[in-house]
Amino acid sequence: MIRRSRAQSSSLFLMELILAILFFSVTSAVCVQFFVKSHLLSRDSKILSQAVNECANIAEIYDASDSIDDALLSLADAYPDLVSKETASGTAAKANVYYDDTFSPCTKEKCSYTLTADFTEANTLLESVIQVTASDNSVVYELNTSHHAARRTDYEKR
């Protein structure tokens, strides 16, 4: 009898131990999922924040200019790594800036993100669509701006 009770108490202890290990395993798996999800959210918010800052920088430069040509010159000064400038006509232009994973300007071959700025001009209304896309062509952020340019006469430019 004594041996049976020891065997029963040992098997009961083993069952409790197995259930405790199972409980802690499930709990740790859920916690790891929470940590992974929070890391991904943090990374995505950092990318979005960088994209918003870069779009706002381009928009400020464009809003301070009086024409597309003036904007492209200002952009070339601010972003010497401005990789491409395509001008369809005097009333439209497109500029691209390429960024790596840390949002530092880089070459097109090494880029992870592309900022595309489409500028249009109609009379005194200057409009822009500034967009940051990831390497998989998903849009990270898009900013639309418009403002009226104060046209200066030749006398005021001097």
Side-chain angles (χ1 to χ4, degrees):
M1 283 297 235
I2 295 175
R3 289 185 182 206
R4 284 185 187 171
S5 102
R6 280 187 181 172
Q8 287 176 353
S9 66
S10 294
S11 65
L12 185 60
F13 177 72
L14 184 60
M15 287 296 285
E16 287 181 36
L17 190 60
I18 289 172
L19 286 175
I21 291 172
L22 179 67
F23 174 74
F24 285 117
S25 298
V26 170
T27 306
S28 65
V30 170
C31 288
V32 166
Q33 287 179 350
F34 284 138
F35 284 121
V36 168
K37 183 69 173 174
S38 68
H39 173 71
L40 293 176
L41 285 173
S42 174
R43 185 195 65 194
D44 291 346
S45 67
K46 185 177 179 181
I47 291 169
L48 180 61
S49 176
Q50 292 285 354
V52 168
N53 286 337
E54 292 300 323
C55 286
N57 290 342
I58 299 288
E60 287 294 326
I61 291 171
Y62 189 62
D63 286 345
S65 56
D66 294 330
S67 67
I68 290 178
D69 295 331
D70 186 29
L72 290 176
L73 288 173
S74 297
L75 282 174
D77 288 341
Y79 293 91
D81 297 323
L82 184 71
V83 174
S84 65
K85 290 186 283 189
E86 305 162 9
T87 305
S89 65
T91 60
K94 181 178 183 177
N96 294 325
V97 182
Y98 301 104
Y99 297 98
D100 61 8
D101 289 333
T102 61
F103 269 88
S104 298
C106 68
T107 62
K108 185 176 182 178
E109 294 78 26
K110 298 177 183 178
C111 78
S112 297
Y113 301 99
T114 304
L115 185 142
T116 304
D118 292 317
F119 304 123
T120 57
E121 181 178 0
N123 294 331
T124 60
L125 183 64
L126 299 174
E127 295 179 332
S128 66
V129 177
I130 305 165
Q131 188 177 63
V132 175
T133 56
S135 56
D136 62 353
N137 291 330
S138 63
V139 176
V140 176
Y141 184 73
E142 182 175 318
L143 178 64
N144 298 318
T145 65
S146 63
H147 75 281
H148 287 281
R151 295 289 181 187
R152 299 178 189 155
T153 62
D154 289 336
Y155 179 75
E156 292 175 325
K157 287 183 182 178
R158 293 180 201 169

